[in-house]
Amino acid sequence: MITFLVCLVILVGGYLIYGKFVERTFKPDSRPTPATTMADGSDYVKMHPAKIFLIQLLNIAGLGPIFGAILGAYWGPVVFLWITFGTIFAGAVHDYLSGMISIRHKGSSISEIVGLYLGPVMKNIMRVFSVVLLVLVGVVFATGPANLLAMLTPNTLNAAFWLTVIIGYYFLATLVPIDKIIGKVYPIFGICLVIMCIGVAGGIIAKGYHIPELTLSNLHPDGQSIWPFMFITVACGAISGFHATQSPLMARCMEKETDGRKIFYGAMVAEGVIALVWAAAGVAFYETTGGLQEAVVRLGGQGGVVYEICNTLLGPVGAVIAMVGVIACPISSGDTAFRSARLTIADWFKIGQKPIKKRVALTVPLLAVGALLTQVDVTIVWRYFSWSNQTLAMIALWAAGTYLVKNKIAPWIAVVPATFMSAVSLTYILMAPEGFKLSASIAYPAGIIFAFGCLVAFLLLIYKKTERADDKEFAAE
């Protein structure tokens, strides 16, 4: 219990102290934001900061800090450290910088930002990478809730029916102005997510469940190594590249740059708290990591675990809240994934999105591809998502580091986590079953060498370009 409470205090302190340091480093100012200068009534729409925070939290959270944290708890309370310090020094910095740099560049998508600071080749890679990743997110976050809804409703309302309903909703939410559905409904779901987190934490403590204290021992039931697998598995609960695709959505709705720490850094810290609670709940409720693993298998996945924990701790009301968590949250992340894909393509081909016919022209093909993919088995492809997610975070952090240097700002808040995530990303793909299946004796040093090589390449590239007085392409707008 003490370890859990200390980590909780550190997370809050991280927002107040390190978050403020990151803000001072970036230096937000009073310049007009895209929501003011580019208002179009569709994607560039001013909203209240509290509403933007709740939408940002729901967009980046979904099921990530719940499902990933439950699987991360297989390694025991050591996962608390990664959730806590990963959130403060990596995830929240990543989200803040990707959102704030987007504001400084007219609300541009992450692929355009990466291309501007890491070159045209990387831009094109990121364009394709981002769209594919976003469509996959949308597809999986449609099929999962559809299957669960089919289990809870009469047989006539099968998974195909609910999938059609969800895809239809995606069409509306992706197409209509951001303040019409997302701006009105998502803050409510965001509040439900927070209530579920508070209820679960309170129930675990009030009913006397034992949250284990910190040990650096590997408690994974199958003995899977902590490095790099835990750092990839937790994903959204500590750092997530998917967030870099979502932050520009809210960057287009902010009236003041000075709200950035509350919205971007704050939402990620809130997600870290949610992940910490669910990691603690998973291992405490089932007493051992082996018991947690058995429950995940017995109940058909993390969704069943979420339902059982909420129903037991909070009763029927908790069960309803759990359903909001495991159905509404992934749907909300899925539709913003498709929205982000639309805007990424629009930025790519310079297609204005104010006219509704242009939004329809991009929305329909995207959802058609998504609908087709729901008819095939995407399980094998999805196994690469966690790795792709963290690789995207790594690239976004390197681009952010480049931006900071080009604007004569010390880049280390971005460069240190970028270097760390470079080691995580390569080591994982070299060792993972879906990767090259190499031994730790090869993958570990290769990951370290790769990370060091990225750091050296970054320093050489940046400082070489800094010396070129005529290099205006990299200047902030």
Side-chain angles (χ1 to χ4, degrees):
M1 177 73 76
I2 294 176
T3 302
F4 169 75
L5 294 176
V6 168
C7 287
L8 190 60
V9 170
I10 292 174
L11 274 169
V12 175
Y15 169 77
L16 296 173
I17 300 172
Y18 195 69
K20 190 67 176 178
F21 171 76
V22 170
E23 182 182 51
R24 286 199 305 267
T25 300
F26 186 84
K27 300 181 181 67
D29 55 38
S30 59
R31 73 184 67 187
T33 62
T36 300
T37 61
M38 301 175 63
D40 62 0
S42 175
D43 300 304
Y44 293 86
V45 180
K46 287 190 291 187
M47 289 192 284
H48 191 278
K51 182 178 288 188
I52 297 176
F53 168 83
L54 288 170
I55 297 172
Q56 174 73 1
L57 175 60
L58 199 63
N59 284 356
I60 66 174
L63 293 178
I66 302 174
F67 281 17
I70 289 172
L71 293 182
Y74 282 7
W75 282 275
V78 68
V79 74
F80 296 168
L81 297 181
W82 172 230
I83 291 172
T84 301
F85 295 105
T87 293
I88 293 171
F89 296 107
V93 173
H94 166 277
D95 291 9
Y96 178 81
L97 292 177
S98 60
M100 296 302 292
I101 296 171
S102 178
I103 290 177
R104 294 280 175 92
H105 290 285
K106 301 179 181 178
S108 293
S109 302
I110 187 61
S111 57
E112 303 308 301
I113 292 170
V114 167
L116 184 61
Y117 290 99
L118 298 183
V121 173
M122 188 60 70
K123 175 192 287 188
N124 290 324
I125 291 174
M126 282 293 293
R127 282 168 169 170
V128 175
F129 190 86
S130 296
V131 172
V132 171
L133 185 64
L134 288 165
V135 170
L136 284 176
V137 170
V139 168
V140 174
F141 282 177
T143 55
N147 291 332
L148 189 52
L149 283 166
M151 294 169 54
L152 300 172
T153 54
N155 292 336
T156 53
L157 304 179
N158 58 19
F161 169 81
W162 285 114
L163 189 59
T164 302
V165 171
I166 292 172
I167 293 294
Y169 164 75
Y170 279 1
F171 176 78
L172 290 176
T174 303
L175 180 67
V176 303
I178 195 166
D179 60 331
K180 300 306 181 186
I181 295 180
I182 292 175
K184 287 182 169 59
V185 178
Y186 283 23
I188 298 173
F189 289 151
I191 291 171
C192 289
L193 189 63
V194 173
I195 291 173
M196 179 171 64
C197 174
I198 294 173
V200 169
I204 289 290
I205 295 172
K207 296 191 177 184
Y209 287 91
H210 173 67
I211 301 177
E213 301 300 345
L214 178 64
T215 174
L216 298 181
S217 300
N218 184 354
L219 302 182
H220 196 289
D222 299 329
Q224 191 172 61
S225 62
I226 294 173
W227 176 269
F229 294 98
M230 185 186 74
F231 297 88
I232 291 289
T233 300
V234 174
C236 297
I239 181 173
S240 168
F242 175 67
H243 298 185
T245 69
Q246 301 301 291
S247 292
L249 293 180
M250 295 299 96
R252 301 178 185 213
C253 300
M254 290 169 52
E255 190 171 2
K256 296 186 298 183
E257 281 194 359
T258 50
D259 290 329
R261 181 169 71 98
K262 291 178 288 187
I263 291 169
F264 299 123
Y265 200 99
M268 182 60 223
V269 169
E271 182 171 10
V273 171
I274 294 170
L276 185 67
V277 167
W278 277 102
V283 73
F285 189 85
Y286 296 104
E287 299 183 347
T288 65
T289 57
L292 173 59
Q293 185 186 54
E294 184 277 329
V296 170
V297 175
R298 171 173 55 86
L299 298 170
Q302 301 98 301
V305 167
V306 171
Y307 183 84
E308 184 170 72
I309 290 176
C310 287
N311 192 45
T312 302
L313 296 179
L314 306 176
V317 174
V320 172
I321 295 175
M323 287 302 96
V324 172
V326 298
I327 294 176
C329 287
I331 291 175
S332 67
S333 291
D335 64 27
T336 52
F338 277 114
R339 191 182 193 93
S340 296
R342 170 174 67 81
L343 292 173
T344 298
I345 294 174
D347 287 348
W348 185 348
F349 294 102
K350 311 298 181 188
I351 303 172
Q353 292 297 282
K354 185 173 182 178
I356 190 170
K357 64 180 182 180
K358 292 187 177 181
R359 300 201 299 272
V360 170
L362 295 183
T363 299
V364 171
L366 276 172
L367 289 175
V369 172
L372 287 174
L373 288 175
T374 62
Q375 305 305 308
V376 300
D377 183 7
V378 297
T379 303
I380 295 177
V381 178
W382 190 248
R383 288 167 59 188
Y384 292 92
F385 168 71
S386 292
W387 171 77
S388 302
N389 192 33
Q390 303 303 60
T391 301
L392 180 59
M394 172 195 78
I395 296 171
L397 282 167
W398 282 122
T402 309
Y403 169 89
L404 294 175
V405 169
K406 289 300 175 182
N407 287 274
K408 297 181 172 57
I409 301 172
W412 306 112
I413 57 171
V415 169
V416 171
T419 304
F420 180 82
M421 293 310 299
S422 297
V424 170
S425 180
L426 186 75
T427 304
Y428 178 84
I429 200 63
L430 291 178
M431 292 184 66
E434 63 269 26
F436 295 95
K437 304 178 184 179
L438 299 179
S439 66
S441 61
I442 297 175
Y444 283 11
I448 293 172
I449 292 170
F450 175 71
F452 181 74
C454 288
L455 176 60
V456 171
F458 168 82
L459 294 176
L460 291 175
L461 173 67
I462 295 307
Y463 287 108
K464 179 180 178 181
K465 289 184 179 294
T466 302
E467 295 174 354
R468 289 159 46 187
D470 60 343
D471 187 11
K472 297 181 180 179
E473 178 187 4
F474 288 76
E477 295 183 13

